[in-house]
């Protein structure tokens, strides 16, 4: 639970510890049962979103106070900038003049990213390329932005970033082209700029005393001033305004993800895609659309995905925002928005209640990841995929002719995998009592969905893809005990009859080291059948150009006998590889060879380890083949 309140009154510097604030009531945030029940079912209406937002506002106020106090303990970190009390006083004046204007800056997503990152840096647990005084001086920039929004007269110095710009969070960026020499290196030439408002005009004075005047309507672009690009999506009477924050230095919270500047053409693409995605959400999931519009203030627009679905991410420090790569279709964007909004909601809930115990081991399988995950990570993925599954469930009923098959496939793919992840999560000890209740409510939502009918072809491909992913995950991340592998290999070499229960001592453990990832071409082909029919038609007419092994092509075409022969040969040639072993199991399952298929799909790491044990010694003799080994181990299970 976190407190709510206003900035402390501060004609003088605030005391070292937060005093009781003035303004609205100061007390603990309590989440009503109605709101918790909605969230535990994967949903949440607009009022629930407001409750989470109020709690996040309190969190931001505390972060801001902690930043001030940390800087006040060592004002030298500000260099030539004014003391933190000056920025704090301006923030207080802006809040008193216009509370909504102050909140717009306080709750801008990048404010949380900056404050959290600066506190880690001041405590010596993080480093950055940005000079410390520039990062600490962002407090002054926040104060300037809040005062501009509030219409308050003021004057304050702020850092110049990249040697040529001042970004005013939630508003836009002032550029000083040619004012300082620019080498192309971030923060190479920082300086100071003055920001002032007098008589309604806002001026930014550059380090060389040139001046940029902001327009009366800061949403308009003028020479030296570029507002944050924004789009307004409309569906009937419902609207969602969202900024595309492509210039905020604290907008991208994932290192290594560059944010290209939006061109007019790219901005039009975002507008068109958001219009389509918003219309889809308002029609199919109106409650979710309402709470999303209440919460999400901005998107950090990334470059388009080269292949597959666009990259997207959220951070608990960036409440109200998501980093999203430009998708190809409105449907892809709608899925990304649902996915990331689920993370945003859960992150806000976790600031109010503990659902997982800390420091869990990374041992759990998640059908959307290739690596082992801790319980907290699986819970995040489960919550996101309950939302995604719900989206596709609704889409099955509203998709236009020709698009419903994709919805059937995606719905079938995620419902059972997510339910299995919930069961695996509940079997661990990392959940708190409230966490167990929470996942039980998610299970109650998902379980009936797993009984709903899905067309046969879409269901079969979804099942194949899910089985393939889990078996590939086991080969990459688990290994059986060496003594059990040796015992089984010797027994098979002697052609001893398999004994029921012989595999009980061969329980696999998570690997200490991570094996290199291996691409499953058949998975890409199966996905393209439903997600990109044009691509599927292309490779189907030219299988030799798809890059996929012939066995993968045969499997996707349901030519199981040919696929089994191809995979058997691949295993003999590349026994250390993962994909041929799993493909062989999938082909044998298609042929009805249940025991061998079960061994290869449920325990592929054991089958491969036994085959590899002592090299060719285990593969000598008549009838020795990967299929016969899998059949033998399947009988011993």
């Amino acid at each position: 639970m976190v407190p709510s309140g206003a900035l402390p009154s501060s004609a003088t510097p605030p005391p070292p510890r937060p005093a009781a604030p003035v303004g609205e009531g100061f007390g603990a945030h309590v989440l009503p049962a109605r709101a918790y029940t909605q969230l535990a079912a994967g949903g949440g209406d607009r009022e629930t979103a407001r409750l989470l937002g109020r709690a996040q506002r309190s969190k931001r106020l505390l972060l801001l106070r902690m930043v001030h106090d940390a800087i006040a303990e060592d004002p030298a970190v500000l260099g030539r900038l004014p003391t933190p009390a000056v920025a704090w006083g301006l923030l207080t004046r802006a809040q008193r003049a216009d509370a909504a204007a102050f909140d717009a800056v306080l709750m801008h997503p990048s404010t949380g990213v900056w404050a959290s990152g600066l506190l880690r840096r001041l405590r010596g647990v993080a480093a950055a390329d940005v000079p410390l005084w520039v990062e600490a001086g962002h407090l002054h920039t926040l104060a300037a932005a809040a005062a501009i929004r509030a219409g308050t007269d003021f004057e304050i110095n702020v850092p110049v970033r990249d040697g040529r710009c001042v970004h005013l969070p939630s508003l836009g960026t002032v550029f000083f082209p040619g004012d300082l020499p620019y080498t192309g290196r971030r923060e190479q030439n920082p300086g100071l700029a003055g920001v002032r408002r007098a008589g309604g005009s806002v001026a930014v004075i550059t380090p060389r005393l040139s001046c940029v005047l902001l327009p009366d309507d800061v949403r308009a672009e003028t020479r030296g001033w570029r507002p944050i690009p924004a789009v307004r999506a409309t569906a009937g009477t419902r609207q969602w305004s969202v900024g595309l924050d492509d210039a905020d230095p604290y907008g991208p919270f994932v290192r290594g993800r560059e944010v290209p500047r939006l061109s007019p053409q790219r901005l039009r693409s975002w507008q068109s895609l958001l219009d389509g995605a918003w219309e889809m959400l308002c029609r199919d999931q109106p409650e979710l659309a309402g709470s999303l519009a209440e919460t999400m203030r901005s998107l950090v627009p990334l470059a388009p995905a080269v292949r597959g679905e666009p990259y997207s991410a959220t951070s608990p420090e960036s409440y109200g925002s998501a980093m999203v790569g430009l998708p190809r279709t409105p449907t892809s964007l709608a899925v990304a928005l649902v996915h990331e909004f689920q993370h945003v909601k859960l992150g806000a809930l976790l600031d109010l209640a503990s659902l997982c115990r800390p420091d869990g081991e990374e041992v759990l399988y998640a059908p959307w990841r290739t690596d082992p995950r801790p319980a907290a990570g699986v819970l995040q993925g489960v919550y996101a995929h309950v939302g995604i599954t719900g989206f596709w469930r609704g889409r099955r009923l509203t998709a236009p002719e020709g698009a419903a098959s994709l919805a059937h496939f995606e719905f079938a793919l995620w419902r059972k995998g997510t339910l299995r992840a919930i069961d695996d999560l509940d079997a661990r000890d990392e959940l708190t009592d409230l966490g167990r209740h929470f996942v039980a409510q998610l299970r109650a939502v998902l379980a009936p969905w797993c009984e709903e009918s899905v067309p046969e072809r879409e269901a079969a491909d979804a099942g194949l893809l899910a089985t393939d992913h889990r078996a590939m995950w086991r080969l990459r991340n688990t290994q059986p005990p060496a003594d059990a592998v040796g015992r089984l290999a010797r027994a098979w070499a002697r052609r001893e009859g398999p004994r029921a229960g012989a595999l009980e001592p061969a329980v696999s453990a998570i690997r200490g080291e991570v094996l290199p990832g291996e691409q499953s071409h058949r998975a890409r082909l199966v996905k393209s059948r439903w997600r990109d029919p044009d691509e599927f038609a292309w490779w189907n007419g030219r299988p030799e150009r798809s890059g996929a092994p012939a066995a993968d092509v045969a499997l996707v075409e349901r030519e199981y006998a040919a696929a089994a022969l191809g995979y058997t040969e691949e295993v003999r040639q590349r026994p250390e590889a993962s994909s041929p072993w799993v493909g062989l199991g999938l082909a044998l399952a298609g042929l009805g060879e249940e025991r061998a298929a079960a061994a290869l799909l449920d325990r592929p790491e054991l089958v491969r380890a036994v085959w590899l044990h002592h090299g060719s010694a285990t593969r000598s003799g008549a009838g020795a083949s990967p299929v016969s080994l899998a059949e033998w181990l399947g009988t011993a299970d």
Side-chain angles (χ1 to χ4, degrees), residues 63 115 366 375 406 447 556 573:
L63 279 172
L406 172 62
V556 173
Q573 294 179 1

Side-chain angles (χ1 to χ4, degrees), residues 136-496:
H138 191 67
L139 178 66
H140 300 63
T141 310
L142 287 173
I148 291 170
R149 280 186 167 275
T152 301
D153 286 352
F154 71 96
E155 183 173 353
I156 193 169
N157 284 343
V158 300
V160 175
R161 302 190 68 94
D162 294 335
R164 60 177 183 178
C165 69
V166 170
H167 184 79
L168 297 169
S170 82
L171 293 173
T173 307
V174 179
F175 291 98
F176 313 137
D179 195 71
L180 288 174
Y182 182 59
T183 65
R185 291 183 60 192
R186 179 177 289 274
E187 304 303 341
Q188 182 71 17
N189 296 300
L192 291 181
V195 186
R196 66 176 61 171
R197 181 190 182 100
S201 297
V202 178
V204 181
I205 312 300
T206 76
R208 292 188 177 176
L209 302 182
S210 59
C211 179
V212 174
L213 289 177
L214 271 61
D216 292 339
D217 182 355
V218 293
R219 295 171 297 179
E221 186 169 356
T222 59
R223 184 177 180 276
W225 169 249
R226 179 177 180 268
I228 294 175
V231 294
R232 182 185 297 273
T234 302
T237 60
R238 301 168 71 106
Q239 292 186 334
W240 176 37
S241 296
V242 60
L244 297 177
D245 218 343
D246 64 344
D248 193 322
Y250 300 103
F253 44 81
V254 178
R255 285 184 176 272
R257 292 284 175 177
E258 292 297 323
V259 183
R261 190 62 49 84
L262 284 175
S263 65
Q265 179 182 3
R266 188 65 58 80
L267 182 59
R268 287 193 294 271
S269 295
W270 275 103
Q271 178 70 69
S272 175
L273 289 164
L274 279 164
D275 279 339
W278 179 243
E279 182 179 2
M280 202 176 299
L281 292 174
C282 288
R283 181 185 62 243
D284 297 352
Q285 295 183 291
E287 182 180 274
L288 182 144
S291 56
L292 184 146
E294 181 72 30
T295 303
M296 302 299 283
R297 296 167 178 258
S298 68
L299 300 176
V300 179
L302 304 178
V306 176
R307 175 181 291 177
E309 296 304 302
Y311 174 88
S312 64
T314 52
S315 166
E317 297 170 354
S318 188
Y319 177 80
S321 179
M323 297 175 66
V324 181
L326 182 70
R328 290 183 292 176
T329 67
T331 304
S332 292
L333 180 55
V335 172
L337 291 172
V338 170
H339 184 154
E340 300 308 335
F341 182 50
Q342 291 293 101
H343 285 311
V344 169
K345 287 190 297 182
L346 183 58
L349 176 62
L350 291 173
D351 281 334
L352 297 171
S354 177
L355 302 181
C356 281
R357 297 184 176 88
D359 305 323
E361 293 183 284
E362 296 187 351
V363 297
L364 293 176
Y365 168 72
W368 41 84
R369 296 283 299 228
T370 60
D371 56 337
R373 302 292 290 158
V378 173
L379 179 60
Q380 284 282 353
V382 160
Y383 199 70
H385 282 82
V386 167
I388 290 171
T389 307
F391 169 83
W392 288 116
R393 180 173 180 260
R395 186 72 178 147
R396 294 203 301 158
L397 303 177
T398 63
E401 186 177 357
S405 291
L406 172 62
H408 291 310
F409 168 74
E410 298 286 358
F411 174 67
L413 176 62
W414 296 119
R415 58 179 181 172
K416 289 187 178 179
T418 306
L419 186 62
R420 183 167 185 170
I422 287 176
D423 291 338
D424 291 346
L425 187 63
D426 201 26
R428 304 284 301 177
D429 295 329
E430 282 91 344
L431 293 177
T432 64
D433 290 343
L434 184 61
R436 292 193 182 282
H437 181 271
F438 189 80
V439 299
Q441 302 311 301
L442 294 175
R443 182 189 291 108
V445 171
L446 270 173
W449 294 355
C450 292
E451 303 303 319
E452 294 181 9
S453 175
V454 174
E456 183 178 353
R457 283 178 62 85
E458 288 89 329
D461 269 2
L464 183 148
L465 200 60
T467 303
D468 182 45
H469 186 278
R470 185 175 179 86
M472 291 287 285
W473 183 93
R474 289 194 66 90
L475 279 169
R476 185 184 187 201
N477 296 295
T478 68
Q479 60 183 15
D483 56 344
V485 170
R487 174 178 52 79
L488 290 167
R490 290 189 293 273
W492 183 56
R494 294 193 297 266
R495 294 298 185 269
E496 293 182 2

Side-chain angles (χ1 to χ4, degrees), residues 16 37 57 93 145 165 168 254 306 315 322 402 412 466 476 534-535 568 572 599-600 615 618 620 629:
T37 300
R57 179 179 181 277
R93 285 202 292 127
C165 69
L168 297 169
V254 178
V306 176
S315 166
R476 185 184 187 201
D534 290 339
E535 179 186 340
T568 299
R572 291 187 183 278
L600 283 163
T618 56
S620 61
L629 172 60

